[in-house]
Structures are given as structure tokens and as C-alpha cells.
Amino acid sequence: MQATLHDKPVNATHWSTCTLPEHLGVDAITIRGVRQGNGPKPDLSRTFKLSREPRFEHKLLDVVGL
């Protein structure tokens, strides 16, 4: 799990179900089971959405200005 979330394979953006077992020296079925059970998605990033409230900018400047 640690390698899936924090390490990056050489010449790739994220671990695949084929490359991670080779790297860790375990069976591919084991990796599939762990991934399905925990649901990590390291290739997806979380986004931040700004509020649509009319006074949001004013409130943001008050907080950031502290």
C-alpha cells in the first residue's frame, strides 16, 4: 500500500496491476485484492471548488488577512 501511494515507478505515472507485483515480489492476485479492499486511486487528484456565495471574496480576504 505504501508503494502504491508514495512511490513512483520508473518511466510511468503510476503503478499498474502488473508492474507493482513485480516490484514488490508478490503475486498479482494479492495486489488486486489489496487494491479492491482499500480503493486507492493515486492517478486521481482532488480538486478545490470556490464557493458561489456573493460575499465569498470579502470573507476570504478577512480570513487570509489575519
Side-chain angles (χ1 to χ4, degrees):
M1 192 70 170
Q2 187 76 12
T4 301
L5 298 175
H6 300 290
D7 295 341
K8 183 179 169 187
V10 178
N11 299 325
T13 58
H14 60 278
W15 293 105
S16 72
T17 311
C18 296
T19 57
L20 188 59
E22 292 174 6
H23 174 72
L24 298 176
V26 296
D27 190 62
I29 295 172
T30 304
I31 297 299
R32 286 188 193 108
V34 170
R35 282 188 163 182
Q36 286 177 351
N38 294 304
K41 297 180 181 178
D43 52 324
L44 299 179
S45 61
R46 295 184 179 158
T47 60
F48 176 76
K49 295 181 181 179
L50 292 176
S51 174
R52 293 185 178 188
E53 182 184 347
R55 294 183 37 88
F56 177 73
E57 184 178 358
H58 177 72
K59 291 179 180 180
L60 178 66
L61 293 174
D62 284 346
V63 173
V64 174
L66 291 177

